[in-house]
Amino acid sequence: MRDYIWLIPAVPLLAAAVNFVAGRRLPDRFTGWFAVACVAASWVVSLIVSAQVLEGQRLDYNLYTWVPSGSFQATIGFYVDPLAAVMLFVVTTISLLVHVYSIGYMHRDPGFYRFFSYLPLFTFSMLLLVLANNYLELYLSWELVGLCSYLLIGFWYEKRSASQAALKAFIVNRVGDFGFGLGVVFVFVAFGTLAYAPVFASVHTVAPGALTIIALLLLAGAMGKSAQWPLHTWLPDAMEGPTPVSALIHAATMVTAGVYLVARSHPIFQAAPGALGWVTVIGLVTALVGATIALVHPDIKHVIAYSTISQLGYMFFACGIGAYALAIFHLFTHAFFKALLFLSAGSVMHSLDNETDMHRMGGLRRHMPVTFATMVSGALALAGLPVFAGFWSKDGILGFAFEQGNYWVYALGTIAAFFTAFYITRLISLTFLGEPRYDTDRLHPHESPKVMTIPLAILGVCSLVAGFAGFPPGQGFLDKMLDPVLDTPAVEHGFTPTTIGLMAFATLVAVSGIGLALAMYAWRVPALDPQLWTRRLGALYRLLSNKYYYDDLYRALFVRPAITIGRALWRLDVEGVDGSVGEVAEGVSEAGRALRRLQTGFVGNYALAIGIGVIALVAYLFWPR
């Protein structure tokens, strides 16, 4: 493993470098498939490494020392255990499918080579993040992931909305990353090292108060990257980037980095008094905020984006109640069905000239049968219907909360689950069912090419079967793989009367949400007419449709004051600093112009001036005192 593990991040980096340097002069077909081939090679090596991890092998290896400075050692190395193996599989698998899909989606885009430079660069960054064996390497990878996100969100930089969305994502993430950076510093101060193994082994030697500070600072970084409340506002705007970007970065991999950070650092969080309580509360609030906004949003990509925020909230509060393995299990299943939902939405947009308003869709089931079938598979997995992936992971988290006695967590999580089933069925109904609401004279929907539908089909199958990695509950493949690493508390395993009852109730909740949405948007039951309920809900509907006014609040509290202060400082610089320097320069120039008049060029004038000077000097010296 040690001899070839470096290939996992290195091969995507090679694709990024070659495409960026030579891509402009190469055919698009070569550029795209070269990136696919490199990511496929990384995927194969990841499978080999994962197989060795299953056989019991582990790796904590320093590739080289970057900065040796006394007791501080900045190293680049690799840390491979079951948690890293799961993340490697998720990142490389989703990345490979998205790269293939992008060849069709980005066809004839003038920035094709640039896109296939940024996308493998992101894959490299995320793989390096997963493989890091110390907090400094993790932080550097974290920032490189953020850079790739900025480049890909603002890929169509000629659009003002895209460049603004990229800037917003970058700035909001800097808030969390500032806390993360301080957390890395505090880790070194407290432990004398940044390497995972010695830090986790000596957690008991550090004062509880210091551990709480470290945990909360790390949590700040995780909140920014994983779009947790109140740092969630950047993720919906990030949908301005190409849809494959949304599928890869903002659904399946990058935004899960925060969950990975909390799970990886679980020894610190476990020993830090009060830290897990904050993780739980933030996760629950995020799950409910994301789900409720998705209930009313008209944009197909934004609904899925808010769904991502909500599901990340599930992963966070799962970590908060100690169910780290279940959080990673939900991360695993969510990657497949959420990437599928985004890519299916991209297929719809590809067919409707980039239309995203669901109220201008409808009736697409007849024209796009493959996209419809695969998106329904992803929707049922998200809704948590039995057999589908989300049922085993999401409801496994809720079941764990109930069995641990966290009934308020279970109740609020179940409410969010009902909303989830409702809004995703609303999306399917408005997009694919009923009569067409688009311009039938201008638009002629059609199924996407095979290079796009084949990844959809693979993800559709994964959305159905991925959940069986955790079957039976508590005794599944992933449970046995992750539990020894993540120290999950013991609960009843298998199909006990309690788990069967919880599954039955979770199914009832999901079916109720699906049925209500179908009655409102597909069957058009008069008493449940959406416009009628929009008027009845009044202020509540306006609150949700305006996204709780978070953007307006942040604009008033932070953006406008920052702009005002910036303009004042600019005026001080231009009129004060630059102005004073300019005045001094102008004064010197005026003095020079005045003195220049003394230079007449006539010798007689100079002799007269000398004579007057001599007389004045003699008078001064001999004047009686």
Side-chain angles (χ1 to χ4, degrees):
M1 183 191 299
R2 176 172 169 172
D3 295 332
Y4 51 80
I5 191 167
W6 59 273
L7 289 170
I8 296 177
V11 182
L13 180 62
L14 173 65
V18 170
N19 286 346
F20 187 77
V21 173
R24 188 189 296 270
R25 297 181 293 275
L26 295 171
D28 284 353
R29 187 174 183 84
F30 175 85
T31 302
W33 286 109
F34 178 67
V36 169
C38 289
V39 175
S42 180
W43 177 70
V44 171
V45 179
S46 296
L47 290 181
I48 295 171
V49 169
S50 298
Q52 292 175 334
V53 170
L54 289 175
E55 294 172 356
Q57 294 189 39
R58 303 289 186 270
L59 180 68
D60 186 1
Y61 167 57
N62 286 328
L63 186 64
Y64 68 93
T65 300
W66 176 31
V67 180
S69 177
S71 62
F72 176 74
Q73 299 287 322
T75 62
I76 300 297
F78 301 120
Y79 189 87
V80 182
D81 64 354
L83 175 58
V86 172
M87 293 296 296
L88 286 176
F89 178 77
V90 169
V91 173
T92 54
T93 302
I94 300 300
S95 181
L96 176 58
L97 294 172
V98 169
H99 274 72
V100 174
Y101 176 97
S102 299
I103 290 176
Y105 189 88
M106 299 299 293
H107 181 57
R108 294 183 179 176
D109 190 286
F112 189 92
Y113 86 94
R114 193 161 45 88
F115 184 83
F116 277 95
S117 303
Y118 297 160
L119 208 61
L121 180 63
F122 165 78
T123 303
F124 158 77
S125 307
M126 191 66 195
L127 290 171
L128 192 63
L129 186 154
V130 169
L131 289 170
N133 71 342
N134 63 84
Y135 279 104
L136 181 60
E137 184 182 354
L138 174 65
Y139 181 74
L140 295 175
S141 307
W142 191 275
E143 294 303 318
L144 188 54
V145 165
L147 171 63
C148 294
S149 174
Y150 173 80
L151 294 173
L152 286 164
I153 294 171
F155 179 77
W156 288 317
Y157 56 85
E158 64 276 5
K159 293 170 54 181
R160 181 175 174 81
S161 57
S163 59
Q164 287 182 331
L167 187 61
K168 181 178 181 180
F170 191 80
I171 292 173
V172 173
N173 272 273
R174 295 290 70 71
V175 176
D177 291 356
F178 177 73
F180 186 16
L182 287 178
V184 173
V185 173
F186 273 66
V187 167
F188 180 75
V189 171
F191 295 95
T193 180
L194 294 173
Y196 292 156
V199 167
F200 300 153
S202 57
V203 164
H204 63 281
T205 65
V206 177
L211 289 176
T212 300
I213 293 173
I214 291 172
L216 293 179
L217 289 172
L218 296 179
L219 176 61
M223 289 167 58
K225 196 69 75 185
S226 290
Q228 295 296 285
W229 176 89
L231 301 179
H232 65 284
T233 56
W234 69 268
L235 182 56
D237 288 14
M239 299 303 106
E240 288 291 337
T243 302
V245 173
S246 304
L248 178 61
I249 295 184
H250 306 120
T253 53
M254 187 192 93
V255 292
T256 60
V259 182
Y260 172 75
L261 173 61
V262 175
R264 173 60 75 198
S265 306
H266 75 276
I268 295 176
F269 281 87
Q270 286 287 112
L276 288 178
W278 282 105
V279 177
T280 304
V281 171
I282 290 169
L284 278 171
V285 172
T286 304
L288 288 168
V289 166
T292 49
I293 295 175
L295 293 173
V296 301
H297 210 291
D299 188 292
I300 187 171
K301 285 182 68 177
H302 280 73
V303 169
I304 303 174
Y306 280 109
S307 170
T308 299
I309 293 172
S310 181
Q311 297 306 304
L312 289 167
Y314 272 92
M315 299 174 207
F316 265 75
F317 76 70
C319 290
I321 59 177
Y324 301 104
L326 284 170
I328 298 301
F329 180 30
H330 193 45
L331 182 156
F332 175 80
T333 61
H334 175 265
F336 294 108
F337 62 74
K338 190 52 61 68
L340 172 60
L341 289 173
F342 267 117
L343 294 183
S344 297
S347 181
V348 170
M349 294 166 57
H350 188 264
S351 180
L352 292 180
D353 194 25
N354 288 321
E355 180 60 69
T356 60
D357 189 344
M358 295 184 294
H359 294 126
R360 295 177 183 153
M361 297 181 184
L364 295 178
R365 177 171 57 108
R366 297 185 296 274
H367 305 288
M368 309 180 71
V370 176
T371 301
F372 171 68
T374 54
M375 197 164 197
V376 167
S377 176
L380 294 177
L382 174 62
L385 219 59
V387 180
F388 287 88
F391 174 76
W392 304 109
S393 58
K394 182 177 68 176
D395 292 308
I397 293 172
L398 297 177
F400 181 93
F402 184 88
E403 293 185 38
Q404 288 289 300
N406 293 302
Y407 300 121
W408 65 281
V409 174
Y410 173 77
L412 294 176
T414 300
I415 293 171
F418 173 81
F419 292 155
T420 301
F422 178 89
Y423 68 66
I424 197 60
T425 307
R426 169 180 174 264
L427 182 149
I428 294 293
S429 300
L430 290 175
T431 304
F432 292 99
L433 305 182
E435 295 301 318
R437 295 182 298 278
Y438 51 85
D439 186 349
T440 55
D441 293 329
R442 186 177 66 88
L443 298 173
H444 305 283
H446 54 83
E447 189 58 87
S448 297
K450 288 185 179 180
V451 74
M452 295 171 64
T453 56
I454 289 175
L456 292 181
I458 294 172
L459 288 169
V461 173
C462 291
S463 297
L464 177 62
V465 303
F468 288 101
F471 180 87
Q475 297 176 319
F477 170 75
L478 277 182
D479 296 294
K480 294 177 181 178
M481 185 176 178
L482 292 172
D483 279 350
V485 180
L486 297 178
D487 303 323
T488 300
V491 294
E492 290 187 84
H493 294 315
F495 292 100
T496 65
T498 301
T499 57
I500 292 173
L502 291 172
M503 287 180 181
F505 184 69
T507 303
L508 177 63
V509 169
V511 170
S512 300
I514 292 171
L516 180 60
L518 287 173
M520 292 182 71
Y521 296 98
W523 303 330
R524 297 290 178 178
V525 176
L528 297 174
D529 180 64
Q531 294 183 353
L532 173 65
W533 281 96
T534 297
R535 292 192 297 271
R536 286 181 176 177
L537 292 174
L540 178 59
Y541 179 84
R542 289 191 296 274
L543 180 67
L544 298 181
S545 62
N546 285 284
K547 300 167 286 188
Y548 291 99
Y549 297 99
Y550 278 114
D551 284 330
D552 301 290
L553 178 64
Y554 292 165
R555 193 175 295 113
L557 291 180
F558 304 112
V559 177
R560 287 174 183 165
I563 292 174
T564 302
I565 293 172
R567 286 174 176 167
L569 292 174
W570 173 80
R571 191 173 293 111
L572 175 64
D573 180 53
V574 172
E575 299 178 3
V577 178
D578 288 352
S580 60
V581 172
E583 289 295 329
V584 171
E586 184 63 26
V588 172
S589 298
E590 287 293 330
R593 283 192 287 270
L595 292 173
R596 188 176 60 188
R597 295 189 181 95
L598 298 176
Q599 301 290 334
T600 63
F602 295 106
V603 176
N605 291 347
Y606 298 156
L608 178 62
I610 293 172
I612 293 173
V614 170
I615 293 172
L617 179 61
V618 170
Y620 173 77
L621 291 175
F622 293 98
W623 192 267
R625 293 178 173 81

